[in-house]
Amino acid sequence: MKKFSKDFIWGVATASYQIEGAFDKDGRGESIWDRFSKTPGKVLKGHTGDVACDHYHRYKEDIALIKDLGVDSYRFSLAWPRIIPEGSGAVNQKGIDFYKRLIDELLDQGISPAVTVYHWDLPQVLEDKGGWLNRDTAKHLRDFAAVAFEEFNYGVDKWITLNEPWCSAYLGYGSGEQAPGKKDFAANINASHHLLLAHGLALEAYRELNLTEDIGITFNLSHHYPVSDKPEDLDATRIADGLLNRWYLDPVFKGAYPADMTELIKLVEPFVKEGDLDLISKPNDFLGINMYSRNIVKADENGQPQSQPAVHPVTAMGWEIYPESLYDLLVRVDKDYGPIPIYITENGAAFDDRVENGKVHDAKRTDYLERHFAQAARAIEAGIPLKGYYVWSLLDNFEWAFGYERRFGIIYVDFDTQERIMKDSAIWYKQFLQELKK
Ligand code: IFM
């Protein structure tokens, strides 16, 4: 594998609801994930994030593990209901204090904080007023972000406004697989616009504060491959790419929704007010990409995209392992939307890990990471401005609708005892970084 440059940023990533626990501690309000996970039938085995990895209490121990890994940066997210329990208005000082303790400890250990403002845990009170279907939620996110920018304006090295708005919009309001569990395709398009608007407003607030660290947005992107060269498969691939990738990339980097997605344009138009797209397309300092797999597309009898079965082995999520698609994706994003510095803000894999004599031999995860790192190196060699790479995830955690039944961590968590065990993949990552830094 080509050597990565010494200033390439290596990291690990997590998100608040997935690890913190302490769901009712120190004035934290209810989030849509508290409500959703406690609604029977929504999350596998009825798991909730009430305790999760108990990171709220064990953050020092976890930061010691991050330090031991030898990474440069730690990406985590802020729980909005911990900081502004009612969604808007009063700030909860105890919530601010927690994140200050976390940031201070990271800085003491020489680890750069990369902070995601919003990673899906919307305050339930805002959902009760329509959530992302209500334009006001975008303004409330802006105010929440402004509080965070001002309070943590020391030491945070990188800001990410939103994590994966496609998931918040489609899985939350379209398919209903995630909180708040609404099932209405049109609503998902309404939500997508308000999420992008929230990004634009937060970015504007950041620039108004004259802050100088880099800020960007993270999308979940996948490269799409037609199953054949038949015109209908090529066209279905264009549509699938439009739904997941271009619907989010185009407004942010081109200032317009993709014109060929005519049905979606009809759905979004009533919500787009004058000036929205100017705000949404204000320049970012970087683009964050979360990438896990690819999509092979075939046209169904109506010409609509249908995802095809994997050709190569899959992870415990059923996601095909095809590292070459990381290279293809990076080259495509750079060509169509660049030049913009890019970070892989998430990449990793879930497998059915077992503890054997105090060890976790997760060779498949190591292989997954090694092969994806190699494709990242290949992209850099091809001139793509890839600046960093965050492994998802530091810890096994609450994997949303799959509860604790999918393990993405490079560190194993025993959810009964909260014991942490470095899996073989973590030991491999540590050695990989030691080699690089020699
Ligand atoms: O766990 C999630 C994360 O919260 C967002 N990106 C994908 C991960 C794996 O599903």
Side-chain angles (χ1 to χ4, degrees):
M1 195 189 302
K2 177 191 173 287
K3 263 201 148 194
F4 289 87
S5 69
K6 291 247 187 285
D7 59 354
F8 192 82
I9 303 294
W10 291 97
V12 280
T14 64
S16 46
Y17 190 75
Q18 293 183 273
I19 63 164
E20 284 179 7
F23 76 107
D24 59 354
K25 188 94 190 270
D26 294 336
R28 178 184 175 281
E30 187 189 19
S31 80
I32 55 173
W33 272 98
D34 295 295
R35 181 71 62 90
F36 186 77
S37 64
K38 287 169 190 167
T39 307
K42 298 295 186 193
V43 173
L44 213 59
K45 298 198 173 169
H47 290 165
T48 74
D50 281 5
V51 179
C53 306
D54 195 30
H55 175 76
Y56 190 79
H57 299 109
R58 296 169 194 262
Y59 71 93
K60 278 197 181 176
E61 181 191 334
D62 292 337
I63 292 173
L65 290 165
I66 300 172
K67 171 91 181 156
D68 189 33
L69 284 171
V71 295
D72 308 296
S73 178
Y74 172 49
R75 174 180 177 234
F76 61 94
S77 76
L78 306 173
W80 185 344
R82 215 181 269 297
I83 294 181
I84 306 182
E86 295 297 315
S88 62
V91 171
N92 175 29
Q93 189 55 46
K94 289 190 170 161
I96 298 285
D97 292 346
F98 167 65
Y99 292 109
K100 286 196 168 162
R101 289 197 295 278
L102 180 69
I103 291 169
D104 290 345
E105 182 68 17
L106 287 166
L107 295 175
D108 283 352
Q109 300 300 332
I111 301 156
S112 297
V115 178
T116 308
V117 174
Y118 181 69
H119 194 131
W120 307 357
D121 38 3
L122 186 73
Q124 180 63 39
V125 278
L126 294 184
E127 181 54 36
D128 294 342
K129 295 176 190 148
W132 288 110
L133 306 183
N134 182 343
R135 191 175 168 94
D136 288 347
T137 300
K139 296 184 195 141
H140 296 318
L141 182 129
R142 178 219 171 272
D143 295 345
F144 160 50
V147 168
F149 297 151
E150 287 191 286
E151 289 286 350
F152 310 129
N153 173 28
Y154 65 97
V156 171
D157 178 53
K158 222 177 276 89
W159 288 96
I160 296 164
T161 54
L162 306 182
N163 180 72
E164 302 181 352
W166 178 88
C167 294
S168 301
Y170 180 71
L171 301 176
Y173 294 87
S175 71
E177 290 156 75
Q178 296 201 350
K182 303 268 183 327
K183 294 184 186 169
D184 173 359
F185 185 81
N188 130 65
I189 297 302
N190 169 353
S192 72
H193 183 66
H194 292 148
L195 281 150
L196 288 173
L197 182 64
H199 161 71
L201 289 167
L203 194 67
E204 182 186 57
Y206 189 78
R207 301 295 186 212
E208 279 170 8
L209 288 166
N210 287 320
L211 300 177
T212 53
E213 303 307 333
D214 286 350
I215 184 164
I217 185 167
T218 280
F219 294 135
N220 52 305
L221 304 177
S222 259
H223 204 68
H224 290 62
Y225 301 84
V227 75
S228 81
D229 288 341
K230 287 187 200 151
E232 59 269 32
D233 290 333
L234 296 178
D235 204 47
T237 305
R238 171 189 62 76
I239 298 172
D241 176 63
L243 288 166
L244 181 77
N245 298 330
R246 290 183 292 120
W247 190 253
Y248 290 89
L249 286 163
D250 279 24
V252 168
F253 292 102
K254 298 185 173 173
Y257 285 105
D260 64 303
M261 303 298 288
T262 47
E263 292 306 309
L264 271 62
I265 297 271
K266 273 189 235 151
L267 293 174
V268 84
E269 264 168 359
F271 305 103
V272 181
K273 303 258 185 298
E274 209 187 318
D276 283 6
L277 283 152
D278 289 341
L279 255 180
I280 291 170
S281 58
K282 291 257 179 284
N284 289 272
D285 298 318
F286 64 87
L287 168 67
I289 296 180
N290 293 354
M291 183 274 169
Y292 289 88
S293 187
R294 69 160 165 178
N295 193 9
I296 307 173
V297 186
K298 182 177 167 56
D300 69 10
E301 58 281 6
N302 303 313
Q304 291 306 304
Q306 216 175 40
S307 291
Q308 293 304 289
V311 175
H312 301 285
V314 298
T315 67
M317 297 295 280
W319 298 345
E320 186 184 17
I321 303 171
Y322 189 66
E324 290 79 357
S325 73
L326 176 60
Y327 174 82
D328 292 341
L329 178 69
L330 289 169
V331 169
R332 183 275 173 106
V333 167
D334 181 63
K335 175 167 93 43
D336 290 351
Y337 302 97
I340 175 106
I342 298 174
Y343 289 86
I344 302 297
T345 39
E346 287 180 25
N347 173 252
F351 291 107
D352 294 326
D353 302 313
R354 298 272 171 275
V355 182
E356 293 165 46
N357 301 320
K359 307 241 183 271
V360 180
H361 302 303
D362 59 338
K364 287 186 186 166
R365 184 174 290 102
T366 302
D367 183 62
Y368 178 100
L369 291 174
E370 191 168 15
R371 291 170 60 205
H372 281 80
F373 289 3
Q375 294 299 324
R378 204 182 137 209
I380 294 169
E381 219 153 31
I384 309 302
L386 182 65
K387 303 293 178 197
Y389 203 121
Y390 290 80
V391 170
W392 184 270
S393 180
L394 171 69
L395 302 168
D396 291 335
N397 59 48
F398 178 81
E399 177 52 28
W400 308 113
F402 296 95
Y404 300 99
E405 292 295 302
R406 297 288 183 279
R407 293 180 175 272
F408 271 93
I410 57 172
I411 295 176
Y412 185 92
V413 177
D414 179 326
F415 292 104
D416 294 325
T417 62
Q418 292 295 344
E419 187 195 358
R420 273 80 162 136
I421 300 171
M422 284 247 197
K423 299 181 191 175
D424 286 358
S425 59
I427 297 164
W428 172 82
Y429 191 25
K430 177 177 169 172
Q431 285 165 351
F432 169 84
L433 294 174
Q434 280 170 351
E435 279 300 309
L436 277 186
K437 288 178 183 179
K438 263 186 192 163

